[in-house]
Amino acid sequence: MTDELLVVRAQLGDRTALAEMVARWRVPVWRYVQRMLDADRADDVSQEIWLAVVRGLPRLREPARFAPWLFAIARRSVVDRLRTEYAAAPETPVRDDRCVEDLSDTVVARTELVGALTSLPVLEREILVLHYLEDLSVQDCAHICRVPVGTVKSRLHRARRLLREHLSEKGYRS
């Protein structure tokens, strides 16, 4: 069943359709939040997102645009959480630089990549996560972030460059 049909059925009060929609999108939303914040905060923020989705679903006018609408809600929730945390501790950066020690080269490489991703500025990291890791189009990213398509493209370019520079400093070749 398509997302569009699930949305329409959920708007008409079909709880099964809503449950199927949540089951389908729960992991992608959590992954996005986890990549923008961290795993500890992802659970709380994801719950806030789904609460906002349930409340706002009756007002969604374009059921075919459910994914961009969902990620726009997720983005707003992440930004709200970051604003709250920055306001509470302005001189303390909200970053988790913990490193899992493991002898496996694969785990080390993944840790380096995650570290490189978290080292990116929030705006560039957000676009990179939405476009490459959540597989959203440039147009959908622009809609979610409320910026022009050209801004998305320039942020993607800058994010790729910064990521490449960070990885090359660590001895990885592109």
Side-chain angles (χ1 to χ4, degrees):
M1 191 175 313
T2 65
D3 287 336
E4 184 176 7
L5 185 55
L6 284 174
V7 168
V8 170
R9 287 181 54 195
Q11 287 175 327
L12 294 173
D14 184 347
R15 291 178 186 250
T16 306
L18 180 63
E20 188 176 333
M21 195 169 31
V22 170
R24 182 179 293 179
W25 286 98
R26 181 183 55 82
V27 172
V29 167
W30 186 88
R31 248 190 350 249
Y32 166 74
V33 174
Q34 184 264 333
R35 288 173 176 147
M36 293 306 297
L37 299 171
D38 60 39
D40 294 336
R41 296 179 286 177
D43 291 333
D44 290 340
V45 174
S46 292
Q47 287 179 358
E48 294 168 11
I49 292 165
W50 286 110
L51 185 59
V53 166
V54 169
R55 287 179 178 159
L57 198 57
R59 294 185 304 278
L60 178 60
R61 298 285 180 236
E62 297 180 60
R65 305 260 317 141
F66 175 74
W69 178 78
L70 173 62
F71 279 99
I73 291 171
R75 178 184 188 267
R76 251 189 325 273
S77 296
V78 167
V79 168
D80 288 347
R81 176 61 61 101
L82 288 172
R83 277 190 191 126
T84 301
E85 290 173 0
Y86 287 147
E91 62 274 345
T92 305
V94 181
R95 282 189 44 203
D96 187 5
D97 290 332
R98 289 177 276 167
C99 180
V100 177
E101 291 186 33
D102 194 329
L103 300 177
S104 169
D105 289 340
T106 304
V107 173
V108 170
R110 179 166 166 65
T111 302
E112 286 295 325
L113 186 58
V114 168
L117 191 59
T118 58
S119 73
L120 292 176
V122 173
L123 295 176
E124 284 75 10
R125 179 179 358 142
E126 173 182 53
I127 294 294
L128 196 102
V129 167
L130 287 171
H131 185 66
Y132 288 110
L133 303 179
E134 298 305 330
D135 203 27
L136 293 170
S137 70
V138 170
Q139 291 77 15
D140 285 344
C141 292
H143 176 76
I144 291 166
C145 297
R146 297 180 184 167
V147 296
V149 170
T151 302
V152 170
K153 290 178 181 179
S154 66
R155 286 181 185 170
L156 276 172
H157 177 74
R158 184 168 187 260
R160 286 189 299 258
R161 181 179 50 79
L162 291 171
L163 195 57
R164 206 172 20 254
E165 289 171 2
H166 180 83
L167 291 174
S168 68
E169 288 174 5
K170 297 291 183 181
Y172 292 96
R173 291 194 169 113
S174 53

